[in-house]
Structure formats: structure tokens, C-alpha cells
Amino acid sequence: MTLRLRQIGDPILTQVAEPVSHFRDPDLHRLIESMLSTLKDSNGVGLAAPQVGSLLQVLIVASRPNPRYPDAPQMQPLVMINPQLLAASSEQVLGWEGCLSVPDRRGLVARSREVEVEYYTPQGSRQRVVWQDFPARIFQHEYDHLIGRVFLQRHP
Ligand SMILES: O=C(NO)N[C@@H](Cc1ccccc1)C(=O)O
Ligand SMILES: [Zn+2]
């Protein structure tokens, strides 16, 4: 089921998401499925739960070439629950971003070039990943949503 994408101005986008505490909750798995289909239908490369009305620490990084980001690297969509940014390089890169909650806007945003993240899978197992460049950018954009930050409201 594709969920309604909250747009800028909706107060939920400025709120802080809560950690997931019940991994066996069927509602959590329904949310994840809905986020994955919403992401596909909107040709997105990333999505955070608050954008579909759920104040839970769930985000998806799903870089793939598509009309909106033709040179995005191809990767399997990764569902991250209760993500923690363990390290972010001081080296920053300027790059173009869009947001499914801010239609028709693109912005140049400075992001760390590399991030190290710890997160839980939908099955509840703890993982770590290191990303550079576009996947790192998408993660930082989604991670911002979990603390109520929307791009273009960041100070370069
Ligand atoms: O709005 C979202 N995610 O919150 N989706 C953006 C994600 C994104 C992030 C960074 C750079 C480009 C694109 C999208 O266009 O798919
Ligand atoms: Zn966004």
C-alpha cells in the first residue's frame, strides 16, 4: 500500500522520531512494506518514516539510477531501524538533493563524504555499514528527517 507523503509544512516533519522497541510488531513490518512501495512509486532513493506519518526511527537507503538521479549507484534497498551515526568524515562534499516532501525543489547541500552507521535490521540483528558519496548523502538526508530536519533548512 502506498502511503500519503507528508509535505513540508506538516508539523510531523519537524518532530523527533521515537526508537523502535518491538521488532515483532506486525505494524512495524506493514510500515516497512508500505515505505518500500511508496519509495518505488515515487522513484525515490531514500525515505524516512516521518514522511509517511510515522514518528519511528525507520529509514530506507535505496540508491539506484532513475530519472531523478540518473547517475546514482545501484544498491539493494537497505531498511535501517534505530540507526546511529557512529562516525562522519570532517571532509564534506557539496551535492544536489531533493526531498519527496519538498516538491519541485533541489538544493546544494554540504554533507560528510563518508559515514559509519550502526543500525538494526527488521529481524532485529545489529549491523554496521560504511558508506561514501551518494549513499552516504542519502543516509544523512534521511537521518535528518528522524530529528525533524528537512533539507534546505540546514545552514550550508
Ligand atoms: O525525500 C527523500 N528522502 O527523505 N527522498 C529523496 C532522497 C535523496 C536524498 C539525498 C539526495 C538525493 C535524494 C529522493 O529524492 O529520493
Ligand atoms: Zn527528504
Side-chain angles (χ1 to χ4, degrees):
M1 168 185 118
T2 297
L3 298 170
R4 175 171 69 88
L5 268 167
R6 307 300 169 91
Q7 299 301 296
I8 195 81
D10 187 322
I12 197 166
L13 293 175
T14 62
Q15 288 165 29
V16 176
E18 296 292 318
V20 168
S21 43
H22 301 291
F23 284 78
R24 278 187 294 282
D25 179 349
D27 288 342
L28 173 68
H29 298 281
R30 269 193 287 277
L31 169 68
I32 291 167
E33 287 315 310
S34 307
M35 287 176 70
L36 285 165
S37 63
T38 304
L39 196 56
K40 204 172 30 258
D41 293 352
S42 52
N43 251 333
V45 292
L47 190 68
Q51 291 180 276
V52 292
S54 168
L55 277 178
L56 285 176
Q57 291 178 14
V58 179
L59 64 84
I60 302 175
V61 176
S63 174
R64 62 195 153 90
N66 70 62
R68 299 171 67 240
Y69 303 99
D71 50 5
Q74 176 71 36
M75 64 181 268
Q76 277 304 316
L78 189 64
V79 178
M80 305 177 106
I81 296 175
N82 301 343
Q84 293 289 326
L85 184 58
L86 299 180
S89 62
S90 51
E91 182 197 359
Q92 302 226 316
V93 182
L94 266 181
W96 288 101
E97 298 189 12
C99 184
L100 298 172
S101 298
V102 184
D104 312 325
R105 290 294 304 274
R106 283 284 166 106
L108 261 182
V109 180
R111 300 285 190 185
S112 292
R113 197 181 78 74
E114 179 173 282
V115 294
E116 181 179 11
V117 181
E118 181 170 277
Y119 66 95
Y120 288 83
T121 67
Q123 293 71 33
S125 80
R126 190 169 57 175
Q127 308 285 333
R128 275 195 194 187
V129 68
V130 176
W131 274 320
Q132 293 85 24
D133 305 322
F134 198 56
R137 173 173 299 278
I138 298 169
F139 172 80
Q140 292 170 83
H141 176 112
E142 306 314 334
Y143 195 60
D144 274 354
H145 276 300
L146 299 188
I147 50 172
R149 263 208 203 132
V150 182
F151 97 125
L152 294 186
Q153 287 171 352
R154 290 175 60 84
H155 308 296

